[in-house]
């Protein structure tokens, strides 16, 4: 097992990120036992205290289990936990990557919703749109709630859990874009078209409107 030596600053976080990356690329697998603390500290070229701090962070994040007899073991992670591991940690990186991820997910989601939405679902979407329109100071929160509702209405638990795992990043994104001059009015129109296409049970049109909506958000983000 190969790891890189780490810089003095942020030693424990550097170790955490290396282990996260090895989970993402498959170099580490659930159930795999990490080397002993003594050996890991030598591999990373760090003190035992720095290594223990990193392992404690990983344990809090639910990535490893630490047991005296069996050592440090990579946990079998749920879909939601794996999605959180995949999330980039820097703000700029996470927001731009988020938009690419959302386009893939939400275009597929809105297609399913167009096929599966009930009249009650349509009423809920209309209510969320009204919340945004009547309470502009809460527009960011209402927007995220709208997209989470769509994910739930897809009746696909995996997709819903993945979108839920992105909520924190979505919140930051909407706080930065929806209050730009004129943007809220545009969002209301865009959401209205998405609802109408779902109500008409037109998945192709719903996909077009969702893609346009998300690409406008991405375009605004790139200009900030």
């Amino acid at each position: 097992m190969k790891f890189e030596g780490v810089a003095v600053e942020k030693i424990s976080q550097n170790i955490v990120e290396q282990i996260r990356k090895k989970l993402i690329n498959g170099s580490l697998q659930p159930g795999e036992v990490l080397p002993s603390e003594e050996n890991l500290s030598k591999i990373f070229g760090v003190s035992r205290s720095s290594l223990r701090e990193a392992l404690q962070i990983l344990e809090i994040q639910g990535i490893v289990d630490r047991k005296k007899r069996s050592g440090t073991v990579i946990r079998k992670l749920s879909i939601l936990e794996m999605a959180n591991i995949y999330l980039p940690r820097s703000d700029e990186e996470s927001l731009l990557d988020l938009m690419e991820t959302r386009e893939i997910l939400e275009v597929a989601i809105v297609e399913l919703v167009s096929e599966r939405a009930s009249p009650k679902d349509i009423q809920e979407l209309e209510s969320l749109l009204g919340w945004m329109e009547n309470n502009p100071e809460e527009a960011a929160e209402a927007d995220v709630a709208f997209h989470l509702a769509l994910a739930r209405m897809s009746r696909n638990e995996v997709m819903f859990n993945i979108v839920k795992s992105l909520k924190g990043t979505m919140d930051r994104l909407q706080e930065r874009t929806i209050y730009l001059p004129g943007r809220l009015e545009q969002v209301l129109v865009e959401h209205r078209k998405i609802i109408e296409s779902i109500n008409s049970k037109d998945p192709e049109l719903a996909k077009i409107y969702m893609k346009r909506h998300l690409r406008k958000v991405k375009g605004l983000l790139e200009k900030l």
Side-chain angles (χ1 to χ4, degrees), residues 205-218:
L205 190 58
K207 286 161 63 178
I208 289 171
Y209 284 140
M210 179 60 78
K211 186 176 291 188
R212 286 179 183 173
H213 171 59
L214 294 175
R215 288 190 174 179
K216 282 186 179 180
V217 178
K218 185 179 179 183

Side-chain angles (χ1 to χ4, degrees), residues 23-34:
L23 270 170
I24 291 170
N25 66 29
S27 299
L28 285 174
Q29 296 292 328
E32 188 168 346
V33 181
L34 295 178

